[in-house]
Amino acid sequence: MKTKGCLLLFVFFAVACSKKEKKEVFNASAPKSGVSLYILGTAQDGGSPHIGCKKECCSILFKNPDHERKVVSLGVVDHENSKSFLFEATPDMPSQLKLLKELSEKYEETPDGIFLTHAHIGHYTGLMYLGREAMGAQAVSIYAMPKMKSFIENNGPWNQLVTLKNILVKEIENEKKVQLTPNLSVIPFTVPHRDEYSETVGYKIIGGNKSALFIPDIDKWSKWEKSIIEEVRKVDFAFLDATFYDGKEINNRDISEIPHPFVIESATLFEKLPDTEKAKIHFIHFNHTNPLLNENSDEFKRVVKQGFNIAQFNKKIDL
């Protein structure tokens, strides 16, 4: 009986370890080559838990924070050329930059460039950490579209970063490729969104072998002049706006003010795609109320069963 008990105990720990290993999707100390994309955050601008939220989805997290609940961001590393790039400057940027540094195995605390999508709080305010009150960085390259560049250069406190040469804002153009390394290039493209202070862009990130689409914020797909289905067909991975699962989450807000595509709408739009095309899609940018943040929710399981992916913090994708 004692031998049987030990055997059962061994099996239990073996199963437990295997589950843990499955969840750890990349290892900072593992050998690396080529171009890698890392998911450094998946939440909407306000984060999770969300300020002022009294719902159960937040109350538990205020008491027991989940370190994986970070605002949407991607890290891209060309290991061969020792170059790293961050997409979005979020309120969680300090921890995201530290993780990107470890993954890129570089000595510098800052990446070789930061790409911004637009001037909403979760996508650019992390720049404040590069200023004199924090890092006091030196000439970090910030890639931004014309209106976004003008917004930073002509409004405080952001223009102080320019004056003190903490950042160097590099203008990018719609649909014009930016060649970052021999193995890595980026193409920005405008998308319809609430452009109070700047235009809004998505990015096509092109590695040596594969490419990825990154559209964390957009209005309804029907408002875009392009076909999202066709754009998904052109790439190997697509990280798409999934701010709200459905309209129930925002029954206290005017949807015209925040017209993101609901996940249920996107799932219907993509439902006739071949399984190989569905598998390209990784939903991202989840509001704190979105049930897709909870992998045990019925909605999470339903979306996965439909053949789509749900972006997970710490996931590595080779490009």
Side-chain angles (χ1 to χ4, degrees), residues 161-183:
L161 297 172
V162 178
T163 302
L164 297 179
K165 295 183 172 55
N166 301 128
I167 64 175
L168 175 62
V169 187
K170 298 184 176 181
E171 185 171 313
I172 54 179
E173 299 178 35
N174 183 41
E175 303 285 358
K176 186 173 182 179
K177 180 186 289 189
V178 181
Q179 194 71 44
L180 299 170
T181 75
N183 302 327

mmCIF file of all heavy atoms in Angstrom, residues 161-183:
data_model
loop_
_atom_site.group_PDB
_atom_site.id
_atom_site.type_symbol
_atom_site.label_atom_id
_atom_site.label_comp_id
_atom_site.label_asym_id
_atom_site.label_seq_id
_atom_site.Cartn_x
_atom_site.Cartn_y
_atom_site.Cartn_z
ATOM 1 N N LEU A 161 9.678 65.726 -22.964
ATOM 2 C CA LEU A 161 10.479 64.554 -23.307
ATOM 3 C C LEU A 161 11.308 64.823 -24.562
ATOM 4 O O LEU A 161 12.445 64.353 -24.682
ATOM 5 C CB LEU A 161 9.569 63.343 -23.546
ATOM 6 C CG LEU A 161 8.737 62.847 -22.364
ATOM 7 C CD1 LEU A 161 7.752 61.785 -22.838
ATOM 8 C CD2 LEU A 161 9.628 62.293 -21.261
ATOM 9 N N VAL A 162 10.717 65.595 -25.476
ATOM 10 C CA VAL A 162 11.413 65.944 -26.712
ATOM 11 C C VAL A 162 12.494 66.980 -26.428
ATOM 12 O O VAL A 162 13.641 66.850 -26.882
ATOM 13 C CB VAL A 162 10.417 66.494 -27.758
ATOM 14 C CG1 VAL A 162 11.154 66.912 -29.027
ATOM 15 C CG2 VAL A 162 9.356 65.448 -28.078
ATOM 16 N N THR A 163 12.129 68.009 -25.664
ATOM 17 C CA THR A 163 13.067 69.085 -25.343
ATOM 18 C C THR A 163 14.297 68.566 -24.608
ATOM 19 O O THR A 163 15.434 68.992 -24.886
ATOM 20 C CB THR A 163 12.376 70.152 -24.474
ATOM 21 O OG1 THR A 163 11.238 70.667 -25.162
ATOM 22 C CG2 THR A 163 13.324 71.290 -24.151
ATOM 23 N N LEU A 164 14.076 67.650 -23.676
ATOM 24 C CA LEU A 164 15.182 67.098 -22.887
ATOM 25 C C LEU A 164 15.880 65.927 -23.596
ATOM 26 O O LEU A 164 16.790 65.326 -23.039
ATOM 27 C CB LEU A 164 14.672 66.637 -21.522
ATOM 28 C CG LEU A 164 14.086 67.718 -20.617
ATOM 29 C CD1 LEU A 164 13.598 67.121 -19.306
ATOM 30 C CD2 LEU A 164 15.117 68.817 -20.352
ATOM 31 N N LYS A 165 15.407 65.655 -24.816
ATOM 32 C CA LYS A 165 15.985 64.580 -25.625
ATOM 33 C C LYS A 165 15.884 63.202 -24.958
ATOM 34 O O LYS A 165 16.742 62.332 -25.149
ATOM 35 C CB LYS A 165 17.433 64.890 -25.988
ATOM 36 C CG LYS A 165 17.587 66.104 -26.899
ATOM 37 C CD LYS A 165 19.033 66.340 -27.284
ATOM 38 C CE LYS A 165 19.171 67.433 -28.342
ATOM 39 N NZ LYS A 165 18.535 68.710 -27.967
ATOM 40 N N ASN A 166 14.827 63.037 -24.143
ATOM 41 C CA ASN A 166 14.536 61.703 -23.619
ATOM 42 C C ASN A 166 14.049 60.790 -24.741
ATOM 43 O O ASN A 166 14.316 59.588 -24.734
ATOM 44 C CB ASN A 166 13.463 61.753 -22.527
ATOM 45 C CG ASN A 166 13.834 62.624 -21.355
ATOM 46 O OD1 ASN A 166 13.074 63.503 -20.949
ATOM 47 N ND2 ASN A 166 15.009 62.390 -20.791
ATOM 48 N N ILE A 167 13.342 61.403 -25.682
ATOM 49 C CA ILE A 167 12.827 60.641 -26.818
ATOM 50 C C ILE A 167 13.144 61.364 -28.124
ATOM 51 O O ILE A 167 13.326 62.583 -28.149
ATOM 52 C CB ILE A 167 11.306 60.403 -26.721
ATOM 53 C CG1 ILE A 167 10.539 61.727 -26.782
ATOM 54 C CG2 ILE A 167 10.959 59.630 -25.451
ATOM 55 C CD1 ILE A 167 9.015 61.570 -26.821
ATOM 56 N N LEU A 168 13.196 60.594 -29.183
ATOM 57 C CA LEU A 168 13.370 61.134 -30.534
ATOM 58 C C LEU A 168 12.197 60.610 -31.352
ATOM 59 O O LEU A 168 12.109 59.407 -31.627
ATOM 60 C CB LEU A 168 14.698 60.666 -31.136
ATOM 61 C CG LEU A 168 14.971 61.058 -32.591
ATOM 62 C CD1 LEU A 168 15.029 62.570 -32.740
ATOM 63 C CD2 LEU A 168 16.271 60.416 -33.080
ATOM 64 N N VAL A 169 11.268 61.498 -31.708
ATOM 65 C CA VAL A 169 10.065 61.073 -32.408
ATOM 66 C C VAL A 169 10.335 60.968 -33.904
ATOM 67 O O VAL A 169 10.706 61.949 -34.555
ATOM 68 C CB VAL A 169 8.890 62.036 -32.152
ATOM 69 C CG1 VAL A 169 7.604 61.457 -32.753
ATOM 70 C CG2 VAL A 169 8.694 62.265 -30.654
ATOM 71 N N LYS A 170 10.144 59.782 -34.447
ATOM 72 C CA LYS A 170 10.362 59.526 -35.868
ATOM 73 C C LYS A 170 9.019 59.372 -36.568
ATOM 74 O O LYS A 170 8.204 58.545 -36.170
ATOM 75 C CB LYS A 170 11.212 58.270 -36.055
ATOM 76 C CG LYS A 170 12.604 58.383 -35.440
ATOM 77 C CD LYS A 170 13.438 57.142 -35.741
ATOM 78 C CE LYS A 170 14.860 57.298 -35.212
ATOM 79 N NZ LYS A 170 15.697 56.114 -35.527
ATOM 80 N N GLU A 171 8.818 60.182 -37.586
ATOM 81 C CA GLU A 171 7.531 60.159 -38.286
ATOM 82 C C GLU A 171 7.443 58.975 -39.241
ATOM 83 O O GLU A 171 8.371 58.706 -40.006
ATOM 84 C CB GLU A 171 7.328 61.459 -39.064
ATOM 85 C CG GLU A 171 5.958 61.564 -39.724
ATOM 86 C CD GLU A 171 5.704 62.941 -40.300
ATOM 87 O OE1 GLU A 171 5.955 63.942 -39.582
ATOM 88 O OE2 GLU A 171 5.270 63.023 -41.467
ATOM 89 N N ILE A 172 6.312 58.286 -39.167
ATOM 90 C CA ILE A 172 6.042 57.190 -40.092
ATOM 91 C C ILE A 172 4.835 57.563 -40.940
ATOM 92 O O ILE A 172 4.064 58.451 -40.580
ATOM 93 C CB ILE A 172 5.805 55.864 -39.352
ATOM 94 C CG1 ILE A 172 4.691 56.016 -38.298
ATOM 95 C CG2 ILE A 172 7.088 55.377 -38.703
ATOM 96 C CD1 ILE A 172 4.373 54.739 -37.546
ATOM 97 N N GLU A 173 4.682 56.882 -42.078
ATOM 98 C CA GLU A 173 3.631 57.223 -43.017
ATOM 99 C C GLU A 173 2.706 56.037 -43.270
ATOM 100 O O GLU A 173 3.131 54.877 -43.213
ATOM 101 C CB GLU A 173 4.243 57.678 -44.348
ATOM 102 C CG GLU A 173 5.112 58.908 -44.234
ATOM 103 C CD GLU A 173 5.727 59.285 -45.567
ATOM 104 O OE1 GLU A 173 5.048 59.099 -46.607
ATOM 105 O OE2 GLU A 173 6.884 59.743 -45.580
ATOM 106 N N ASN A 174 1.454 56.364 -43.569
ATOM 107 C CA ASN A 174 0.454 55.348 -43.855
ATOM 108 C C ASN A 174 0.900 54.456 -45.013
ATOM 109 O O ASN A 174 1.273 54.948 -46.079
ATOM 110 C CB ASN A 174 -0.881 56.024 -44.201
ATOM 111 C CG ASN A 174 -1.988 55.034 -44.432
ATOM 112 O OD1 ASN A 174 -2.112 54.036 -43.708
ATOM 113 N ND2 ASN A 174 -2.818 55.282 -45.433
ATOM 114 N N GLU A 175 0.890 53.149 -44.783
ATOM 115 C CA GLU A 175 1.215 52.131 -45.795
ATOM 116 C C GLU A 175 2.671 52.163 -46.276
ATOM 117 O O GLU A 175 3.012 51.525 -47.264
ATOM 118 C CB GLU A 175 0.288 52.258 -47.014
ATOM 119 C CG GLU A 175 -1.195 52.163 -46.695
ATOM 120 C CD GLU A 175 -1.653 50.743 -46.405
ATOM 121 O OE1 GLU A 175 -0.817 49.826 -46.484
ATOM 122 O OE2 GLU A 175 -2.838 50.550 -46.091
ATOM 123 N N LYS A 176 3.542 52.889 -45.597
ATOM 124 C CA LYS A 176 4.947 52.943 -45.996
ATOM 125 C C LYS A 176 5.789 52.079 -45.059
ATOM 126 O O LYS A 176 5.811 52.280 -43.851
ATOM 127 C CB LYS A 176 5.470 54.376 -45.991
ATOM 128 C CG LYS A 176 6.884 54.495 -46.552
ATOM 129 C CD LYS A 176 7.307 55.948 -46.692
ATOM 130 C CE LYS A 176 8.703 56.065 -47.296
ATOM 131 N NZ LYS A 176 9.121 57.483 -47.452
ATOM 132 N N LYS A 177 6.505 51.133 -45.649
ATOM 133 C CA LYS A 177 7.281 50.178 -44.859
ATOM 134 C C LYS A 177 8.441 50.848 -44.133
ATOM 135 O O LYS A 177 9.132 51.706 -44.678
ATOM 136 C CB LYS A 177 7.823 49.062 -45.760
ATOM 137 C CG LYS A 177 8.646 48.006 -45.027
ATOM 138 C CD LYS A 177 9.278 47.008 -45.970
ATOM 139 C CE LYS A 177 8.259 46.078 -46.574
ATOM 140 N NZ LYS A 177 8.899 44.969 -47.333
ATOM 141 N N VAL A 178 8.656 50.426 -42.880
ATOM 142 C CA VAL A 178 9.814 50.849 -42.093
ATOM 143 C C VAL A 178 10.703 49.623 -41.933
ATOM 144 O O VAL A 178 10.316 48.639 -41.296
ATOM 145 C CB VAL A 178 9.393 51.374 -40.707
ATOM 146 C CG1 VAL A 178 10.617 51.832 -39.924
ATOM 147 C CG2 VAL A 178 8.378 52.510 -40.835
ATOM 148 N N GLN A 179 11.885 49.664 -42.524
ATOM 149 C CA GLN A 179 12.818 48.538 -42.431
ATOM 150 C C GLN A 179 13.667 48.711 -41.185
ATOM 151 O O GLN A 179 14.505 49.610 -41.103
ATOM 152 C CB GLN A 179 13.701 48.475 -43.677
ATOM 153 C CG GLN A 179 14.463 47.167 -43.821
ATOM 154 C CD GLN A 179 13.563 45.991 -44.184
ATOM 155 O OE1 GLN A 179 12.708 46.115 -45.043
ATOM 156 N NE2 GLN A 179 13.768 44.857 -43.525
ATOM 157 N N LEU A 180 13.465 47.872 -40.199
ATOM 158 C CA LEU A 180 14.136 48.010 -38.914
ATOM 159 C C LEU A 180 15.454 47.247 -38.860
ATOM 160 O O LEU A 180 16.442 47.715 -38.299
ATOM 161 C CB LEU A 180 13.210 47.541 -37.789
ATOM 162 C CG LEU A 180 11.905 48.331 -37.662
ATOM 163 C CD1 LEU A 180 10.957 47.646 -36.690
ATOM 164 C CD2 LEU A 180 12.193 49.756 -37.207
ATOM 165 N N THR A 181 15.447 46.044 -39.409
ATOM 166 C CA THR A 181 16.650 45.214 -39.514
ATOM 167 C C THR A 181 16.517 44.425 -40.825
ATOM 168 O O THR A 181 15.461 44.436 -41.451
ATOM 169 C CB THR A 181 16.778 44.219 -38.341
ATOM 170 O OG1 THR A 181 15.849 43.140 -38.537
ATOM 171 C CG2 THR A 181 16.518 44.885 -36.998
ATOM 172 N N PRO A 182 17.555 43.706 -41.232
ATOM 173 C CA PRO A 182 17.413 42.881 -42.435
ATOM 174 C C PRO A 182 16.308 41.837 -42.319
ATOM 175 O O PRO A 182 15.763 41.384 -43.321
ATOM 176 C CB PRO A 182 18.797 42.215 -42.560
ATOM 177 C CG PRO A 182 19.726 43.170 -41.890
ATOM 178 C CD PRO A 182 18.952 43.729 -40.744
ATOM 179 N N ASN A 183 15.964 41.478 -41.067
ATOM 180 C CA ASN A 183 14.963 40.439 -40.832
ATOM 181 C C ASN A 183 13.598 40.957 -40.399
ATOM 182 O O ASN A 183 12.668 40.161 -40.245
ATOM 183 C CB ASN A 183 15.447 39.473 -39.740
ATOM 184 C CG ASN A 183 16.757 38.817 -40.079
ATOM 185 O OD1 ASN A 183 17.041 38.554 -41.242
ATOM 186 N ND2 ASN A 183 17.567 38.546 -39.070
#
